[in-house]
Amino acid sequence: MTRIAIFDPRGRYDDIERLGQINLDDVGVNLPCRLNRAAYDALHEAGMLACVGLFDGDDLVGYAVATVLPDMHHDRTIANHDGIFIHPDYRRPRLGLRLMAALEAACKLRGATAIAWHATPHTAFARLVSRLAKLEEFTFIKEL
């Protein structure tokens, strides 16, 4: 039986990296998943990181992570989704929605009034997010 819970990432970095690599491989991104553990630590200690996990017993089998930061141009705090993934062996109908809702709730506890969801174009996750949130802007990445 799986459960969803807020978790402290500091004891789970290897698990997040392992799952993150499966995620990158799934979407065809040819980059290694190497967490910036110092940034995770600093953001977590400052209360600016929300981490929600899907657990099978004590094993992390899915995660959703967001930063929760002051909006630089508006008087509000906004969350930015950084990653969400469920191991293929644990995917069930509506489980992704439950993980998303849990992350949103964790962000709200940290003062966020909105969340920016990021999705790779033309994926199932992009289709899901497009039904749940309004498209406000595109993000373009250019290598430097």
Side-chain angles (χ1 to χ4, degrees), residues 118-124 126-127 138-139:
H118 303 275
T120 303
H122 314 295
T123 62
R127 289 187 295 277
F138 291 106
T139 300

Side-chain angles (χ1 to χ4, degrees), residues 47-120:
M48 297 176 157
L49 185 69
C51 296
V52 177
L54 175 65
F55 293 89
D56 182 358
D58 288 333
D59 296 331
L60 184 70
V61 296
Y63 65 87
V65 176
T67 56
V68 182
L69 304 167
D71 188 317
M72 299 299 288
H73 297 277
H74 306 285
D75 185 22
R76 67 180 181 171
T77 298
I78 190 162
N80 261 291
H81 150 252
D82 184 66
I84 186 169
F85 181 71
I86 298 171
H87 189 283
D89 293 346
Y90 288 88
R91 293 178 186 162
R92 304 288 182 271
R94 304 192 60 79
L95 190 54
L97 286 170
R98 289 180 44 218
L99 194 59
M100 291 172 71
L103 183 63
E104 289 173 351
C107 292
K108 192 172 182 178
L109 285 173
R110 287 160 181 74
T113 58
I115 187 168
W117 287 102
H118 303 275
T120 303

